[in-house]
Amino acid sequence: MSSSSRLRSLLPDLAPWRASADFRRLWVAGLITNFGSFLTFVALPVQMKVLTGSAVAVGAIGAVELVPLVVFGLYGGALADALDKRKLIVYTEAGQGVLCAGLLVNALLPHPAVWPLYAVAGLSAALGAVQRPALDSLTPRIVAHEHLPAAASLNSLRWTVGGVAGPALAGVVVAYAGLGCAYAVDLATFVVSVALGLGIAASPAAHEAAKPSLRSIAEGARYAWSRKELLGTYAIDLAAMFFAMPLALLPFLADELDAEWSLGLMYASVPAGALLVSLTSGWTSRVHRHGRMVALAAACWGLAMAAAGAVHNVWLVLLFLTLGGCCDMVSGIFRGAIWDQTIPDELRGRLAGIELLSYSVGPTLGQVRAGGMAAWTSVRTSIWSGGLICVGAVGVLAAFLPKLMAYDVRTNEHAVRMRSARVTRETRETVT
């Protein structure tokens, strides 16, 4: 193989982008709104700090967001199965724009109030939780089955580009143009993303879809429990994030290393590692044992975090945080591939709601664990011991979930059934 061929094999697979106009619209809309959302993500706590001068008040924003995230994540999954996914995405995106307009109006007042910041934080978390299952369950409808791993990589690329560049851009805008400008730009991005969303083809509910209810949510939970390979992806991600997510301790770690200047680099290192994998993700389409890759990558994430807590050189800390970001992205790509390629269409929304909890609640609770253990022991001990516990937990889960470790997309009964159903549906559409 020539060097140019090897390079092409590493670059992201653009097949979903070339084959699906709806995927292109969805991807561009997500990229635009992602940048805008980071403006508000940075501006809102900055404004809270300016108005109150209280670290507790700033931290309470996360507490306000947690309950809506849990409740509406599950209900949003049921809605995604019962309603037109395109409409649900557009309506929630428009709702986010209205909330952003409220922040803009409040910021322009002579004396901005505090309560709208909390209200918007909670409502925005609820809308985001309702929207995310629809987004996740729409992709398998607009992308060919064999292109789903590549689509997962491209979606990861979109998020990681925003994760690296978004906060940096937001910091500049907030510092030099002001809070009002940040909210105004975010509002403009929502207008653009809604316009792009309206161009996506309708995606009505499956005929056999259940109406949103506690019973339908429970049905999705029972299905997830019956699929031990799916259960394994949720459990391993929760373990990795709960035991080995050290972001809350990075300011203290920077102080211990006498390198306060490195804090921004520490925060950027994990998404930078994820971006590196996204940019070289072409190889992922050639991997078939997705379950093993999920477990291996999660264990390597724990090792990287343990190393970051153990070393005393700031550049080595940054290196291990970056490697951790690489591992986390690899795990995420293959978790997404298993979900997209095996979950029946009529259950995708509800399962996406469960997925939302697995990768959002874990990091939130992980910050609590990291801070509590640091107070009990020390910052370094909390980081390196959490990483090692993560490795052990992943090993135990892998041992007790043989179906996850045996998962092969070529032979898994659910993946084979989904491929056959996709081919049958596309054949019917071609005939009609």
Side-chain angles (χ1 to χ4, degrees):
M1 181 184 294
S2 66
S3 58
S4 60
S5 298
R6 285 194 295 268
L7 177 61
R8 284 195 297 271
S9 68
L10 289 174
L11 293 176
D13 184 354
L14 298 179
W17 179 278
R18 290 192 294 265
S20 173
D22 282 344
F23 179 78
R24 291 196 297 272
R25 293 188 185 94
L26 194 65
W27 194 93
V28 173
L31 180 66
I32 292 172
T33 195
N34 196 25
F35 272 98
S37 295
F38 270 110
L39 289 169
T40 298
F41 177 79
V42 173
L44 195 147
V46 168
Q47 187 176 19
M48 182 67 76
K49 176 178 178 292
V50 170
L51 294 177
T52 67
S54 168
V56 174
V58 175
I61 294 173
V64 169
E65 294 171 334
L66 183 58
V67 173
L69 184 68
V70 173
V71 174
F72 287 93
L74 291 173
Y75 189 65
L79 287 174
D81 283 335
L83 303 177
D84 186 304
K85 294 175 177 58
R86 192 275 308 269
K87 289 182 179 179
L88 193 57
I89 292 168
V90 171
Y91 289 157
T92 52
E93 194 79 349
Q96 294 279 23
V98 171
L99 294 178
C100 191
L103 288 175
L104 174 59
V105 171
N106 184 60
L108 295 178
L109 293 175
H111 302 287
V114 170
W115 69 263
L117 306 187
Y118 287 121
V120 168
L123 290 171
S124 180
L127 285 175
V130 169
Q131 184 190 74
R132 187 60 186 266
L135 280 170
D136 289 347
S137 57
L138 178 61
T139 299
R141 283 194 171 190
I142 61 178
V143 174
H145 188 274
E146 65 273 14
H147 294 161
L148 286 172
S153 298
L154 290 174
N155 284 333
S156 299
L157 175 62
R158 182 190 71 200
W159 286 107
T160 51
V161 167
V164 173
L169 175 63
V172 173
V173 172
V174 170
Y176 292 99
L179 296 166
C181 181
Y183 294 140
V185 174
D186 191 13
L187 176 58
T189 64
F190 282 120
V191 172
V192 175
S193 62
V194 167
L196 288 168
L198 290 172
I200 297 173
S203 183
H207 294 299
E208 60 271 29
K211 294 182 179 180
S213 64
L214 291 176
R215 178 178 294 181
S216 68
I217 294 172
E219 180 187 358
R222 285 194 298 270
Y223 177 81
W225 181 261
S226 71
R227 292 276 311 280
K228 300 310 180 190
E229 65 272 40
L230 286 181
L231 191 64
T233 64
Y234 305 144
I236 283 179
D237 188 45
L238 279 170
M241 295 298 102
F242 179 74
F243 291 116
M245 175 57 81
L247 295 185
L249 301 181
L250 294 184
F252 304 96
L253 182 60
D255 287 344
E256 285 198 9
L257 294 170
D258 195 24
E260 292 82 357
W261 55 268
S262 68
L263 180 58
L265 293 176
M266 288 184 183
Y267 278 122
S269 294
V270 172
L275 178 60
L276 180 62
V277 169
S278 298
L279 291 173
T280 58
S281 59
W283 60 274
T284 60
S285 297
R286 299 186 292 276
V287 176
H288 306 292
R289 305 298 292 267
H290 296 167
R292 292 186 179 184
M293 290 300 297
V294 169
L296 177 62
C300 289
W301 156 266
L303 287 175
M305 294 303 105
V311 298
H312 295 271
N313 181 286
V314 65
W315 295 108
L316 288 177
V317 170
L318 293 172
L319 172 62
F320 287 122
L321 289 174
T322 303
L323 290 175
C326 292
C327 298
D328 186 46
M329 178 52 64
V330 171
S331 177
I333 287 173
F334 289 109
R335 288 197 312 270
I338 293 174
W339 299 337
D340 288 344
Q341 291 184 312
T342 66
I343 296 174
D345 187 66
E346 66 274 11
L347 287 167
R348 285 192 188 280
R350 280 165 285 177
L351 271 293
I354 296 173
E355 293 154 18
L356 174 66
L357 297 184
S358 78
Y359 58 68
S360 59
V361 174
T364 302
L365 295 179
Q367 303 313 306
V368 177
R369 181 217 62 85
M373 185 170 285
W376 181 44
T377 57
S378 69
V379 170
R380 287 185 171 280
T381 300
S382 177
I383 297 174
W384 67 254
S385 64
L388 293 181
I389 295 171
C390 166
V391 176
V394 170
V396 170
L397 288 170
F400 281 91
L401 293 166
K403 285 192 174 181
L404 175 67
M405 304 307 290
Y407 178 88
D408 188 321
V409 69
R410 297 168 296 185
T411 58
N412 178 267
E413 60 176 314
H414 302 284
V416 171
R417 186 181 302 119
M418 287 296 298
R419 276 198 301 272
S420 300
R422 185 65 179 262
V423 170
T424 300
R425 184 170 66 251
E426 290 175 351
T427 301
R428 290 174 179 172
E429 291 173 354
T430 301
V431 171
T432 56

